[in-house]
Amino acid sequence: MTASSRVDVGFRSERGPILIALMLATSLVALESTILATAVPTIVADLGGFTQFPWLFSNYLLTQAVLVPVYGKLSDTFGRTPVLLFGIAVFALGSVLCALAWSMPALIAFRAVQGLGAGAVLPMAQTVAGDIYTVAERAKAQGYLASVWGMSAVVGPALGGVFADFWSWRWIFWINVPLCAIAAWVIVRNFHEDRPSGSARRVDWAGAVTLAAGAALVILGLLEGGQSWAWSSGMSIGIFAGGIALLVVFGWIESRAAEPILPMWVLTRRVLITTSAVSALVGAVVLGLTSYIPSFVQGALGTSALVAGFALATMTIGWPIAASQSGRLYLRIGFRLTGLVGAVPLLAGAVLLTRLGIGSSPWHVAGCCVLIGLGMGLIASPALIAAQSSVEWAERGVVTGANAFARALGSAVGVAVFGALANTALSRSDAPTGRSVPDAAELAASVAPVFTAVLVCAVVLTFCVALIPNRRQSESDSA
């Protein structure tokens, strides 16, 4: 399919069925990140294991992240379709196993299988979009993909509650099976990629194993440190030491591999370093908001879960709107200046976030999230497109995977830093001993340093955006 034969970006265009399939595939991951939370009480009542349920989320995030760079390299070697279909199949298998889970440990283990599939689905959807759309079209295509997250933020919690209250929580996982089947069928039927001849087929399995194991230990330490074990404990030190040692071994292997799983040039090109840093900070900011905005709106402002969900959803609504329009900007003024334009609403929203207190209105929170979402749409999508457009087909999977991995690592670091800040602030409050649930003032005080940290991340993010090369793209640039 040549660039000249492409007519538009949308459902009715020549590539519309592929776009629908990519959105369906993305919806698998997006829904899974929101649908489960509202059903946790029902799951715990059925399976038990209240103290273990946080692992339902951390285990999924861990396995989703660790193989992303590996999937990226495999897609450059064997093509996008096999890797994407493999991810969908593993995700479907994990969903079936989760639906059949007989205990909390079994459900946690099967969520890890789901995460292994999700780690292939999301970056591959973004890579395929980079393959089939020109630079001029990618912003609109990424806007469609980003809109899936906005819809999932609204639909997911409600759907999870409906299944848990009126049917069975197991339907949260059963519903993935037909979605996986439809997405796979549409991809096989409509997406016929032309992999460049002569692409290498050698796989650096030693590098893949050491990278996955090292990254898994580091991310596990960040996710669970200060929660499941103390930061200064032997467990924490051992996990981080083991992870760092494996990553050092990985670097040594990559320096000698003929076809490295993560080529060292990814760490030397300015456009890739800066866009990966942007992606990591985006992950941290988004994690901070999604973790603490609902608690603040419910606990400090005294509203319902529905209102708290709406306040947060405004960010995921503003994001795809800005992302879909960012192409018009970066084609005229370049990637860096487009990102700096987005930094204005991002910084404004982050500053206003630090002004929130127990006297604030949920509308104030929603306004902050809208501004931050608009800013993110003008930063995150152009940054990804800048990275993708700097390489050819044979390197695009690695670049997209590295970008997605950076975001996952940023989210994990955000979990650790924001959690430590909130817990420290809460421990310094005057809460009476023996009370497990903080009151509104205490909760607001514990969340305040998190909002300040989000502002700091936004400032650093703006600095990283300013370092992105500002190469202008023309309408003739092809995917």
Side-chain angles (χ1 to χ4, degrees):
M1 187 185 300
T2 62
S4 60
S5 67
R6 300 167 183 172
V7 294
D8 196 9
V9 179
F11 299 143
R12 296 184 180 181
S13 70
E14 183 182 357
R15 295 156 293 171
I18 303 176
L19 179 60
I20 292 173
L22 296 180
M23 292 179 69
L24 277 173
T26 302
S27 72
L28 299 174
V29 182
L31 268 177
E32 206 60 34
S33 66
T34 60
I35 194 173
L36 189 62
T38 53
V40 164
T42 304
I43 294 173
V44 169
D46 187 17
L47 300 180
F50 175 78
T51 58
Q52 298 171 311
F53 87 82
W55 281 89
L56 291 175
F57 303 95
S58 59
N59 215 24
Y60 175 81
L61 292 173
L62 174 65
T63 55
Q64 181 183 350
V66 295
L67 288 181
V68 166
V70 178
Y71 288 135
K73 178 61 178 179
L74 291 177
S75 76
D76 287 341
T77 303
F78 300 106
R80 322 301 189 205
T81 305
V83 178
L84 181 55
L85 292 178
F86 173 80
I88 292 174
V90 173
F91 189 88
L93 173 63
S95 297
V96 171
L97 293 173
C98 286
L100 299 174
W102 55 89
S103 66
M104 185 62 75
L107 183 57
I108 291 170
F110 298 149
R111 281 280 286 172
V113 177
Q114 262 194 321
L116 290 175
V121 170
L122 189 57
M124 281 307 100
Q126 294 174 328
T127 305
V128 171
D131 288 341
I132 67 173
Y133 292 109
T134 66
V135 173
E137 297 168 327
R138 285 176 197 162
K140 192 171 183 180
Q142 291 294 338
Y144 276 98
L145 295 179
S147 69
V148 173
W149 293 91
M151 291 183 288
S152 298
V154 177
V155 174
L159 196 59
V162 169
F163 285 149
D165 292 341
F166 298 103
W167 288 342
S168 168
W169 60 265
R170 298 180 188 274
W171 279 100
I172 290 174
F173 302 105
W174 283 123
I175 195 175
N176 291 328
V177 177
L179 291 177
C180 287
I182 294 171
W185 180 78
V186 175
I187 289 170
V188 171
R189 184 178 177 86
N190 296 279
F191 181 50
H192 308 289
E193 62 181 325
D194 297 321
R195 188 170 65 88
S197 60
S199 295
R201 286 190 165 285
R202 298 178 61 182
V203 178
D204 174 24
W205 292 114
V209 171
T210 52
L211 173 61
L217 288 176
V218 171
I219 294 175
L220 175 64
L222 291 170
L223 288 172
E224 297 300 323
Q227 313 230 3
S228 297
W229 49 74
W231 288 109
S232 59
S233 67
M235 173 72 77
S236 185
I237 295 172
I239 286 175
F240 281 116
I244 293 171
L246 284 170
L247 292 178
V248 170
V249 173
F250 164 74
W252 179 83
I253 292 173
E254 296 305 273
S255 67
R256 289 160 174 76
E259 291 292 336
I261 204 74
L262 186 62
M264 291 298 102
W265 53 257
V266 173
L267 305 178
T268 60
R269 297 182 185 178
R270 176 182 165 190
V271 65
L272 301 182
I273 294 173
T274 52
T275 53
S276 292
V278 166
S279 187
L281 289 161
V282 166
V285 170
V286 171
L287 193 284
L289 294 177
T290 54
S291 298
Y292 291 96
I293 286 291
S295 298
F296 174 78
V297 176
Q298 284 183 263
L301 305 187
T303 68
S304 66
L306 181 63
V307 173
F310 165 77
L312 179 62
T314 55
M315 178 184 69
T316 54
I317 292 172
W319 192 318
I321 294 174
S324 65
Q325 300 302 312
S326 64
R328 298 181 180 181
L329 274 178
Y330 69 63
L331 288 172
R332 293 188 177 187
I333 63 176
F335 294 119
R336 179 174 69 234
L337 294 181
T338 299
L340 291 176
V341 170
V344 174
L346 170 64
L347 291 171
V351 169
L352 292 174
L353 202 65
T354 63
R355 308 295 296 175
L356 296 175
I358 56 175
S360 301
S361 162
W363 288 105
H364 295 158
V365 181
C368 296
C369 290
V370 166
L371 288 172
I372 292 174
L374 291 172
M376 287 297 194
L378 292 173
I379 293 174
S381 292
L384 174 61
I385 295 167
Q388 289 182 331
S389 65
S390 70
V391 297
E392 300 297 329
W393 187 98
E395 298 176 338
R396 193 170 293 138
V398 164
V399 166
T400 306
N403 194 275
F405 180 70
R407 181 164 174 174
L409 189 60
S411 296
V413 173
V415 167
V417 173
F418 297 148
L421 291 173
N423 291 336
T424 300
L426 187 60
S427 67
R428 292 175 178 174
S429 67
D430 297 326
T433 57
R435 190 175 68 202
S436 59
V437 180
D439 61 25
E442 294 159 359
L443 183 59
S446 68
V447 174
V450 174
F451 291 162
T452 301
V454 168
L455 174 59
V456 172
C457 288
V459 172
V460 179
L461 177 56
T462 302
F463 175 76
C464 292
V465 168
L467 297 178
I468 296 176
N470 199 49
R471 186 170 69 92
R472 290 177 173 83
Q473 300 290 346
S474 66
E475 289 287 348
S476 62
D477 286 342
S478 61

